Amino acid sequence: ASIPTNGNGCVVLRENGAFNIVGHIPKNLEERLFRDDAPFPEYISLGSSDRYFVKFDDETYYFHGPPSLSRTLNKRMVKKQKVKGKKGAKNSVSIASVAFGREFDDFFVVFTDGSWECDGELHEELDKLLNDRGNRDDLVWVSLGPDDEFCLKAKNGRIWWGGVSDEISELLFDITDGNENEVDYISFGVDGSYFLTHRG
């Protein structure tokens, strides 16, 4: 289960595709989720300025965000292709996470193979972290926030964060003390709001 938030609303998304909306989410997203013929959502991300990304279980996805995000997704997310009447193989790379940052053009996409692409202005600590790690393709997810917050999880279970409030930092220290794998995800919203899911 995940609980993406933008601070004004959130979506409680369960593993079976069932979901509840609390508060206000972008109208276009709400309409897509409640279409009569809508497939089940598998992943949702919310950002400020009505930005969103939703991936459904039929491999379709929709978003509101910068044009550069469209180019990134179109380049990496090859759709099923028909060749001489036969369906092509499904693309084995899918979206692991999409995060929206402070400015409208800021985003960070992580793919299921650990590779990633981003655009816009990154928090300088995040930029330095990625460079210090040799820009490795070993990410599980990255979360960005409207006040320049970030959190990153690598496949080895390590967690890094920055730009967060003292409350969030202390909470992450407490949760990761001894076992960083216990953090499932954190979603940042406006005015310091957040949802953090973890085990333990």
Side-chain angles (χ1 to χ4, degrees), residues 42-59:
E42 281 187 340
Y43 175 80
I44 298 173
S45 175
L46 299 174
S48 57
S49 304
D50 283 339
R51 291 172 294 174
Y52 71 87
F53 174 89
V54 57
K55 179 180 75 170
F56 292 101
D57 64 358
D58 65 354
E59 298 184 44

Side-chain angles (χ1 to χ4, degrees), residues 68-77 107 109 111 117:
S68 52
L69 177 57
S70 178
R71 290 190 293 274
T72 295
L73 296 174
N74 288 339
K75 178 172 61 173
R76 295 293 305 271
M77 300 304 296
F107 71 85
V109 179
F111 298 93
E117 292 198 32

Side-chain angles (χ1 to χ4, degrees), residues 3-177:
I3 309 176
T5 186
N6 57 13
N8 298 314
C10 66
V11 181
V12 180
L13 180 61
R14 295 172 184 81
E15 290 181 12
N16 65 0
F19 61 90
N20 297 94
I21 295 173
V22 179
H24 300 286
I25 65 169
K27 185 177 180 190
N28 288 343
L29 173 58
E30 193 165 352
E31 289 173 355
R32 291 215 180 267
L33 292 173
F34 285 105
R35 283 190 347 241
D36 289 339
D37 60 344
F40 288 115
E42 281 187 340
Y43 175 80
I44 298 173
S45 175
L46 299 174
S48 57
S49 304
D50 283 339
R51 291 172 294 174
Y52 71 87
F53 174 89
V54 57
K55 179 180 75 170
F56 292 101
D57 64 358
D58 65 354
E59 298 184 44
T60 59
Y61 59 88
Y62 298 93
F63 71 95
H64 173 65
S68 52
L69 177 57
S70 178
R71 290 190 293 274
T72 295
L73 296 174
N74 288 339
K75 178 172 61 173
R76 295 293 305 271
M77 300 304 296
V78 178
K79 298 289 187 187
K80 294 179 187 176
Q81 298 176 358
K82 287 190 174 181
V83 180
K84 295 183 182 176
K86 296 180 181 177
K87 286 187 178 178
K90 286 201 273 188
N91 184 10
S92 61
V93 177
S94 185
I95 300 287
S97 73
V98 176
F100 299 103
R102 182 177 57 192
E103 303 297 331
F104 188 80
D105 291 338
D106 301 345
F107 71 85
F108 202 114
V109 179
V110 177
F111 298 93
T112 51
D113 64 356
S115 63
W116 52 272
E117 292 198 32
C118 61
D119 199 16
E121 294 293 320
L122 292 181
H123 191 290
E124 60 182 34
E125 287 180 45
L126 175 56
D127 195 35
K128 182 178 186 308
L129 172 64
L130 293 167
N131 286 328
D132 289 350
R133 298 184 75 246
N135 294 311
R136 281 184 272 180
D137 289 340
D138 68 341
L139 303 185
V140 176
W141 51 258
V142 169
S143 181
L144 303 176
D147 292 321
D148 225 13
E149 307 96 333
F150 76 87
C151 192
L152 174 152
K153 185 171 187 175
K155 289 190 173 183
N156 65 3
R158 291 274 323 264
I159 300 276
W160 294 266
W161 62 86
V164 301
S165 67
D166 290 343
E167 174 188 343
I168 295 173
S169 187
E170 288 173 17
L171 183 61
L172 285 168
F173 270 122
D174 288 345
I175 294 169
T176 60
D177 185 28

